[in-house]
Amino acid sequence: MALNLEELGIKPAGLDAVRPFAVEGLDVRGRSVALGPILEKILGRHDYPEPVSRLLAEAIVLTSLLGTSLKFDGRFTLQTQTQGPVSMLVVDFETPDAIRACATFDAERVAGLIDAGTATPEALLGHGHLAMTIDQGKHMQRYQGLVELNGISLEEVARRYFERSEQIPTEVRLAVGELYTRQDGDAPVKSWTGGGLLIQFLPEAPERMRQADIDPGDAPAGTVRHEIDEDDAWVEAKALVDTVQDVELTDPEVSVETLLYRLFHERGVRLFDAQPIADKCRCSRDKVANVLANFSADEVEEVTVDGKIVVTCEFCSTTYEFDR
């Protein structure tokens, strides 16, 4: 049976918006997102190779889920630094709704992986680390959590981040796809689409959140680990999320509300106000001019070509031109 949101008095979040929700029967809170035009704008202006675009889109989906959870005015930044073909991803979210993103990569190495058919997200990232930084403003201390990248997916990165930094049981699903549409007589038009789902186990009784000890790593053999059975409610919630198919997260015809109903209607899912996201960059001519004003005469000379200084924003590709 199709879900009629109008009959339920629910306004669909639509594309480029995050829908927070709670499943009180399972002591779970979460967020779901469906992205379309934002991905098309960001990826379209960069024209990266397809696997790089796909990887950056996945990072944008994850940042959308995490950044919109901030309860204060501030900024959330996801950044990778690795030895892989894609040496850096940066996705920056500023409350309440602004997101921007870019990637740095070795074109030859990426092309080699594409030719070999091995351009997976894990291979593109390689080994290094991913940093998640929360900045609350000038007079507040920044918080940064690091996760080692060693051939794991961004989904697994998020799980490990919350397990080690927040000690909150968390499950994440991310998916990115290419949508082809065609009108009669026209060639197919490709556009990017993506979606994500994040749930966290937050029971009222803190002891129910306890997890098994983190792996002892290089500790001597025989080191005792305390194994704790997972809570039945959390086991059920994870099992439900594991049933989600990529197409359910990337199909524009499947709203986030429909997906949440499919998953949790038997337990009762409560929706909160959707949070729209916008493609916005913080660069401006004045900001670039202020940076150039701090250059020495020699530095100005180095960046001057034919009497002009041209600066292009790595995020939005806007070009600013100045004379000496």
Side-chain angles (χ1 to χ4, degrees), residues 121-143:
E122 294 81 4
L124 290 169
L125 287 173
H127 292 260
H129 70 267
L130 180 146
M132 298 186 188
T133 306
I134 297 173
D135 188 344
Q136 301 182 56
K138 292 182 180 179
H139 306 295
M140 301 292 289
Q141 185 174 0
R142 294 201 313 168
Y143 169 80

Side-chain angles (χ1 to χ4, degrees), residues 133-275:
T133 306
I134 297 173
D135 188 344
Q136 301 182 56
K138 292 182 180 179
H139 306 295
M140 301 292 289
Q141 185 174 0
R142 294 201 313 168
Y143 169 80
Q144 185 175 81
L146 295 176
V147 179
E148 182 184 6
L149 291 173
N150 53 3
I152 61 176
S153 67
L154 289 181
E155 289 182 348
E156 182 60 26
V157 165
R159 296 186 192 105
R160 294 187 184 184
Y161 169 79
F162 282 103
E163 176 185 336
R164 297 175 181 180
S165 299
E166 308 290 339
Q167 287 81 52
I168 299 176
T170 301
E171 185 64 24
V172 182
R173 284 284 286 110
L174 307 171
V176 173
E178 294 175 281
L179 180 68
Y180 288 85
T181 57
R182 180 171 60 181
Q183 296 182 348
D184 292 341
D186 295 331
V189 176
K190 182 183 75 172
S191 58
W192 287 99
T193 179
L197 177 67
L198 179 148
I199 62 169
Q200 296 185 308
F201 186 49
L202 296 167
E204 291 185 7
E207 62 270 14
R208 290 179 61 202
M209 288 177 57
R210 293 185 62 199
Q211 304 181 72
D213 289 346
I214 294 174
D215 192 285
D218 295 331
T223 298
V224 176
R225 292 192 67 202
H226 300 285
E227 298 292 343
I228 300 170
D229 291 336
E230 285 191 302
D231 190 285
D232 289 344
W234 179 235
V235 171
E236 180 180 341
K238 287 203 303 179
L240 290 171
V241 170
D242 284 344
T243 67
V244 176
Q245 303 294 313
D246 283 0
V247 68
E248 293 180 280
L249 294 171
T250 59
D251 185 350
E253 298 300 318
V254 179
S255 68
V256 294
E257 295 83 8
T258 297
L259 176 60
L260 294 175
Y261 178 80
R262 289 177 181 176
L263 290 174
F264 302 117
H265 69 277
E266 292 186 359
R267 286 293 194 168
V269 56
R270 184 155 62 103
L271 305 179
F272 302 101
D273 291 341
Q275 298 174 251

